[in-house]
């Protein structure tokens, strides 16, 4: 499906952090493979002067989602640690870029970039009507960010060639994309973008 980028579009790059890369503590298989594709999308939006949002998991060291606190994940993306840094090859443009930290308080987790953040306000302030979502993990934070966007009234496009999932069950990512599509999310790849 061909899509023309307009002035009311924004790009959201989800959680492209070292801890989620293949040699990180909570690896998304092939999570690093999408970096060049994401960079192409970032470049398209950057060149058009459109906003690009980079969400990051940004947990305190006693975060509720960590196993030591009874959660399900190994400690990951702890604030100000190397694992929480963005992938070194991720293109983070000098302008029109916003870093959105989520999961920042000990007692709340946030799989959606909208949860407990100013992302919605920043998008609406700029007249954004449609969001393009890429990054990791398809079956967690990408899914929830896309779904969250829908519920807030945005049109949502997931960039299928620029997402990767954890797949604790082998078809988790596939199911996540299906659920999103059934709820009105569009899928697109690089060739669709005009
Ligand atoms: C994520 C698991 C735990 C994600 C964040 O970014 O998809 N997954 N925290
Ligand atoms: Zn997390």
């Amino acid at each position: 499906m061909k899509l023309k980028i307009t002035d009311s579009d924004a790009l959201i790059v989800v959680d492209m952090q070292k801890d989620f890369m293949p040699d990180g503590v909570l690896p998304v298989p092939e999570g690093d493979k999408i970096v060049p594709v994401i960079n192409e999308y970032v470049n398209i939006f950057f060149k058009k002067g459109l906003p690009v949002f980079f969400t990051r998991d940004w947990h305190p060291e006693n975060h509720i989602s960590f196993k030591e606190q009874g959660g399900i994940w190994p400690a990951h993306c702890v604030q100000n640690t190397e694992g929480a840094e963005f992938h070194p090859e991720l293109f983070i443009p000098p302008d029109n870029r916003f870093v959105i930290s989520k999961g920042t308080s000990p007692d709340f987790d946030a799989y959606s970039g909208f949860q407990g953040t100013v992302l919605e306000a920043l998008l609406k302030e700029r007249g954004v009507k449609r969001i393009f979502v890429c990054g990791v993990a398809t079956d967690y934070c990408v899914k929830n960010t896309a779904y969250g966007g829908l519920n807030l009234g945005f049109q949502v496009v997931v960039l299928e060639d620029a997402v990767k999932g954890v797949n604790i069950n082998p078809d988790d990512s596939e199911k996540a994309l299906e659920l999103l599509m059934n709820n009105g999310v569009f899928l697109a790849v690089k060739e669709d973008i005009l």
Side-chain angles (χ1 to χ4, degrees):
M1 192 195 44
K2 299 288 176 194
L3 293 169
K4 194 171 159 38
I5 303 295
T6 74
D7 284 350
S8 53
D9 289 332
L11 179 65
I12 301 178
V13 179
V14 176
D15 297 6
M16 288 299 289
Q17 295 164 275
K18 288 183 180 174
D19 273 347
F20 294 130
M21 295 298 124
D23 51 4
V25 294
L26 214 174
V28 176
E30 304 190 320
D32 55 338
K33 295 266 171 66
I34 57 175
V35 171
V37 192
I38 290 177
N39 285 348
E40 286 185 52
Y41 286 120
V42 171
N43 211 263
I44 291 171
F45 281 74
F46 172 61
K47 280 205 220 133
K48 291 181 186 285
L50 296 172
V52 182
F53 294 84
F54 294 86
T55 72
R56 65 178 179 185
D57 230 20
W58 194 247
H59 298 316
E61 57 187 11
N62 59 344
H63 191 250
I64 188 175
S65 77
F66 297 171
K67 280 180 181 152
E68 309 85 87
Q69 318 293 325
I72 61 169
W73 305 113
H76 62 279
C77 298
V78 174
Q79 295 168 9
N80 302 307
T81 62
E82 193 192 347
E85 290 170 9
F86 289 117
H87 187 290
E89 276 143 47
L90 186 67
F91 172 46
I92 301 180
D95 304 311
N96 310 319
R97 69 128 139 118
F98 304 87
V99 173
I100 303 290
S101 302
K102 64 183 172 61
T104 57
S105 34
D107 298 332
F108 296 95
D109 203 5
Y111 287 152
S112 163
F114 290 101
Q115 220 174 326
T117 72
V118 294
L119 180 56
E120 179 191 10
L122 291 177
L123 289 167
K124 293 200 165 154
E125 217 166 72
R126 282 165 183 75
V128 173
K129 300 209 161 38
R130 184 170 59 174
I131 56 173
F132 289 73
V133 182
C134 60
V136 296
T138 314
D139 35 1
Y140 293 95
C141 289
V142 168
K143 170 183 161 187
N144 284 275
T145 300
Y147 207 78
L150 269 189
N151 286 329
L152 293 168
F154 295 100
Q155 277 182 264
V156 180
V157 180
V158 169
L159 297 165
E160 207 182 351
D161 53 356
V163 293
K164 286 286 180 195
V166 180
N167 292 320
I168 291 175
N169 306 301
D171 55 354
D172 280 352
S173 292
E174 206 178 298
K175 280 193 179 147
L177 293 179
E178 228 165 77
L179 172 90
L180 291 173
M181 283 197 294
N182 291 338
N183 284 279
V185 167
F186 293 98
L187 298 186
V189 295
K190 188 70 207 314
E191 293 71 35
D192 295 324
I193 305 299
L194 304 175

